[in-house]
């Protein structure tokens, strides 16, 4: 297959994957009423169209339709600029650029336009130093219109840009502001691999077959493109469920089994009658330390072997984690969505041992992390992540970094305002917090992705399990545990382990 043909094919696949990213949201109580693929209501904005059954807040008004243009690039070797938004070639067109297409939609129906949002969805980032970087808000990825309207003459930076845009797009300044008010530029979006991981988590949660790496076909993407060939361009949640059922995408109801992974001995007697299968790591770990002659690779291989030889994808497992937080992270990492095995962590709480299953239909507002960051050593590539839930660990972590002479560029702290053993309320809360951490980690600059991420945490095992599930794209990781006797941290397992993809 020629390079251009392969690139087009990958672009079509990525577009279908982005479609599923939004479509799967309809399986919970979502505001999305219908979603379209190659739906040509507005010319040149047919990639993905989302119609809401409840109006969505945007800026100081409401919208009822999202038009998303997906722009995929095979390699992350370039960035885009404001000029690219004015260049037809950037969207593989001959006549109209992305912004010209937005202008045409505005001129065609101004009322409908004012109730719509037009999004560029790209894996590329905006080029550092380009004027577009000054205009796109990280709050909602929309244009900062106050910034754009600075400068009264065309000799000013923004005045010159307004003049250029007005001339190229054949609009007045007031029209330009009205047009850009409805535009979002979502740059730096997920790679194909990351998006696949996100989809597999969602598919597994809603009882759909994950999309394994062991098959060469693309069933979910193929289904969407089959709709397009049959002129089915707009679907609702019932349509999607029916088609998934017809294609055999739903997983048959699973049997349930209770399992445990332990390295502790104290207060674990309850596992004897509760668990049908137990992986005991006591021959490798002596409570919190490795036994002589043992390594963290031995821990990883034991868990990996337990999963591959004793667990069955047809069964739903409830796992008790009577072990180190490092091990809980490792269990989650091995049981990531690609494993195809559904596992629910069992959490020890003030009310006993409870299944901490995530529930995306839970509409309660849970507390989020307060996030702070500090640059410690400019020019270095390592990052430290401190997660304080049961207690504030910032002081101990910083002392350890200083005393151990770690060369940390960025120190990022996640803390809850209400510390304590009951700070995380349930599995849904744990999952949401893990996703918040995951989002921040994935947004770190490219230079930090080349270094090691040092992870410190005081919190529940279930959250560490959920964070491990999402960790395959983190790069190099070093996890630490706290030694209560010496009042300091010590390194435990690191990733990637030998043989990991």
């Amino acid at each position: 297959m020629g390079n251009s043909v392969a690139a087009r094919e990958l672009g079509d696949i990525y577009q279908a994957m982005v479609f599923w990213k939004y479509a799967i949201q309809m399986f919970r109580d979502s505001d999305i009423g219908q979603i379209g693929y190659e739906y040509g209501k507005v010319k040149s904005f047919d990639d993905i169209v989302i119609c809401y059954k409840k109006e969505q807040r945007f800026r100081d008004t409401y919208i009822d339709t999202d038009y998303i243009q997906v722009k995929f690039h095979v390699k992350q070797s370039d960035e885009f600029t404001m000029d690219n938004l004015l260049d037809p070639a950037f969207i593989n067109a001959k006549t109209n650029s992305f912004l010209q297409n937005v202008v045409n939609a505005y001129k065609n129906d101004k009322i409908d336009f004012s109730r719509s949002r037009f999004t560029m969805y790209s894996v590329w980032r905006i080029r550092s130093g380009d004027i577009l970087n000054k205009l796109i808000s990280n709050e909602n990825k929309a244009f900062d219109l106050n910034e754009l309207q600075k400068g009264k003459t065309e000799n000013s930076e923004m005045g010159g840009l307004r003049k250029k845009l007005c001339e190229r797009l054949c609009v007045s300044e007031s029209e330009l502001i009205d047009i850009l008010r409805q535009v979002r530029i979502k740059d730096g979006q997920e790679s194909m691999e990351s998006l696949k991981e996100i989809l597999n988590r969602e598919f597994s949660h809603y009882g759909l077959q994950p999309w394994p790496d062991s098959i060469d076909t693309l069933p979910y993407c193929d289904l969407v493109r089959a709709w397009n060939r049959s002129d089915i361009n707009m679907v609702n949640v019932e349509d999607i469920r029916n088609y998934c059922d017809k294609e055999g995408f739903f997983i048959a109801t699973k049997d349930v089994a209770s399992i445990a992974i332990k390295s502790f001995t104290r207060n674990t007697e309850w596992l004897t009658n509760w668990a049908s299968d137990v992986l005991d790591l006591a021959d490798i770990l002596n409570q919190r330390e490795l036994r002589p002659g043992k390594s963290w690779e031995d821990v990883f291989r034991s868990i990996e072997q337990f999963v591959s030889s004793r667990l069955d994808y047809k069964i739903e497992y409830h796992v008790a984690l009577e072990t180190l937080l490092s091990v809980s992270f490792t269990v989650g990492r091995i049981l990531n969505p690609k494993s195809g095995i559904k596992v629910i962590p069992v959490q020890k709480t003030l009310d006993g041992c409870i299944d901490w299953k995530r529930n995306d239909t839970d509409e309660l507002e849970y507390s989020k992390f307060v996030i702070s960051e500090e640059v410690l050593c400019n020019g270095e590539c390592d990052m430290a992540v401190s997660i304080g839930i049961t207690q504030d660990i910032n002081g101990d972590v910083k002392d350890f970094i200083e005393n151990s002479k770690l060369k940390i560029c960025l120190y990022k702290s996640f803390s809850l305002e209400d510390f304590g053993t009951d700070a995380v309320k349930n599995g849904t809360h744990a999952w949401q917090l893990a996703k918040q951490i995951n989002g921040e980690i994935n947004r770190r600059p490219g230079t930090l992705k080349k270094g090691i991420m040092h992870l410190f945490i005081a919190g529940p095992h279930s959250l560490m399990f959920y964070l491990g599930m999402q960790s395959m794209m983190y790069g190099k990781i070093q996890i630490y545990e706290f030694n209560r006797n010496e009042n300091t941290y010590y390194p435990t397992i690191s990733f990637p382990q030998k043989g990991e993809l």
Side-chain angles (χ1 to χ4, degrees), residues 10 22 44 78 83 85 104 119 144 150 199 211 239 247 269 282 291-292 304 310 330 369 377 393 409 427 465 467 486:
L10 288 172
Y22 290 100
S44 300
D78 207 346
D83 284 340
L85 301 183
N104 293 345
T119 300
D144 184 340
K150 288 181 178 178
L199 290 177
W211 178 4
D239 295 330
E247 296 294 324
E269 298 83 0
R291 292 190 181 276
E304 191 175 50
R310 311 258 279 273
T330 304
F369 284 117
C377 295
I393 62 173
C409 176
F465 173 87
L467 188 60
E486 299 182 11

Side-chain angles (χ1 to χ4, degrees), residues 394-444:
N394 265 316
D396 290 332
V397 174
K398 285 190 172 181
D399 285 346
F400 173 79
I401 291 173
E402 182 177 352
N403 294 334
S404 61
K405 309 299 183 184
L406 285 176
K407 300 295 184 181
I408 301 296
C409 176
L410 181 65
Y411 176 81
K412 183 158 284 198
S413 169
F414 297 80
S415 60
L416 292 179
E417 293 182 347
D418 184 18
F419 294 106
T421 55
D422 60 346
V424 182
K425 304 307 179 185
N426 52 37
T428 299
H429 192 192
W431 173 249
Q432 290 179 359
L433 291 173
K435 284 179 66 177
Q436 187 184 2
I437 298 167
N438 180 63
E440 291 293 323
I441 291 173
N442 285 332
R443 278 192 285 272
R444 70 195 190 277

Side-chain angles (χ1 to χ4, degrees), residues 6 22 91 136 180 230 242 289 372 400 440 447 467 484:
Y22 290 100
I91 57 171
I136 300 302
L180 295 184
S230 301
N242 290 337
E289 302 284 346
S372 61
F400 173 79
E440 291 293 323
T447 53
L467 188 60
R484 296 189 181 95

